[in-house]
Amino acid sequence: VGTASFLKRDQALLRIRNHLVRECLAELPAIVTLILMAPSGSAQVVTSSGPKGNVLSAWLVGTLAITAAVYTVGGASGAHLNAAFSLATCPLEQFPWWKFPLFVAVRTSGAFLSTGAIYALCCGTGRRVGTRWGNTTAVPGWLCPRSADTTWHYSNGTLAAFGPRETASVFAAYPAGYLSLSNSFLDQVMGTAPLIAGVLDTHNKGVPKGLKPAATALLTFSIAMAVGFTCSCPMNPTQAFGPWLFTYTAGWDTEVFRWVK
């Protein structure tokens, strides 16, 4: 009885009554869940050069991560996860405009932090002097990979966003080398449009409420299988920019922001 009353008292003290704060705190672990799982699948594909997975397994992990994230926090914040989806709901008056930049900032912060966790798992945290972009330099920053860890071992000490031993795609999506900027933009529009339309459609045969996260994941998986080859199918600006920002600070430099060659 004493333990139960103690837990109730603590719950009352820790309970956050502000609805906006609860929504933001819900979106944060949702995007962390998504980022922790999706790049981990990509890391196995890239660094093992095939034996530990392929494109199919990487996309499957990413879509299952969406299911887990939406089931976890959907009741608290709606689990938009995607800045493009939130933006699309603003003109429809389903999401207030003033919340949009705040939620983008929260999701980007979560993506940045969770990318750091994947970096620590794949790269380690020790200092290393290595070869970068053809020059022997000290890798900057407080997160510097050890030579024995996965990504560093795979890349032979080179931090690159493009090329045969690039490792930036472990953390974020990048286009194929032959793709122009205009085709990259068109690819993302055509990939994101059916996702937003499918999730927002409630006038036809609606999906039962408890199955919406799974249906969203299946829709995302089908889009990735259809158009994911050219740009790795990011469809989520938050999921792209947060990892780009982290890899920039971790030593990949401004090359990570170069969308096309």
Side-chain angles (χ1 to χ4, degrees), residues 27-37 107 109-111 113-114:
E27 285 290 308
L28 186 61
I31 197 69
V32 167
T33 299
L34 177 61
I35 298 295
L36 282 177
M37 294 178 67
R107 293 174 193 140
S109 300
L113 294 173
S114 50

Side-chain angles (χ1 to χ4, degrees), residues 178-195:
Y178 54 81
L179 209 63
S180 66
L181 183 60
S182 58
N183 278 349
S184 298
F185 178 79
L186 181 62
D187 176 273
Q188 289 309 289
V189 170
M190 294 183 67
T192 306
L195 174 65

Side-chain angles (χ1 to χ4, degrees), residues 147-193:
S147 59
D149 290 307
T150 308
T151 303
W152 202 261
H153 173 75
Y154 168 80
S155 64
N156 294 324
T158 302
L159 298 180
F162 297 96
R165 287 286 176 174
E166 60 81 21
T167 48
S169 64
V170 167
F171 308 98
Y174 288 93
Y178 54 81
L179 209 63
S180 66
L181 183 60
S182 58
N183 278 349
S184 298
F185 178 79
L186 181 62
D187 176 273
Q188 289 309 289
V189 170
M190 294 183 67
T192 306

Side-chain angles (χ1 to χ4, degrees), residues 56-257:
L56 182 63
S57 67
W59 285 335
L60 184 60
V61 170
T63 52
L64 290 176
I66 293 173
T67 307
V70 177
Y71 271 124
T72 301
V73 304
S77 66
H80 285 189
L81 300 176
N82 191 332
F85 180 80
S86 296
L87 182 61
T89 58
C90 288
L92 301 176
E93 298 184 349
Q94 297 182 11
F95 191 74
W97 284 100
W98 65 268
K99 278 187 180 181
F100 177 71
L102 179 61
F103 272 53
V104 169
V106 169
R107 293 174 193 140
T108 303
S109 300
F112 183 92
L113 294 173
S114 50
T115 304
I118 296 297
Y119 180 92
L121 176 66
C122 295
C123 301
T125 56
R127 282 199 170 274
R128 172 77 156 84
V129 176
T131 302
R132 233 180 9 154
W133 309 299
N135 300 315
T136 301
T137 58
V139 178
W142 53 276
L143 283 173
C144 302
R146 294 192 299 265
S147 59
D149 290 307
T150 308
T151 303
W152 202 261
H153 173 75
Y154 168 80
S155 64
N156 294 324
T158 302
L159 298 180
F162 297 96
R165 287 286 176 174
E166 60 81 21
T167 48
S169 64
V170 167
F171 308 98
Y174 288 93
Y178 54 81
L179 209 63
S180 66
L181 183 60
S182 58
N183 278 349
S184 298
F185 178 79
L186 181 62
D187 176 273
Q188 289 309 289
V189 170
M190 294 183 67
T192 306
L195 174 65
I196 294 174
V199 174
L200 290 179
D201 183 19
T202 58
H203 298 289
N204 296 307
K205 292 184 178 180
V207 178
K209 186 176 180 180
L211 293 179
K212 285 184 178 180
T216 302
L218 285 173
L219 176 59
T220 305
F221 182 74
S222 65
I223 294 171
M225 290 291 291
V227 298
F229 174 71
T230 50
C231 291
S232 301
C233 203
M235 295 190 296
N236 187 342
T238 304
Q239 190 178 349
F241 184 73
W244 287 345
L245 187 60
F246 180 87
T247 48
Y248 166 71
T249 62
W252 275 260
D253 206 69
T254 54
E255 191 179 17
V256 300
F257 294 110

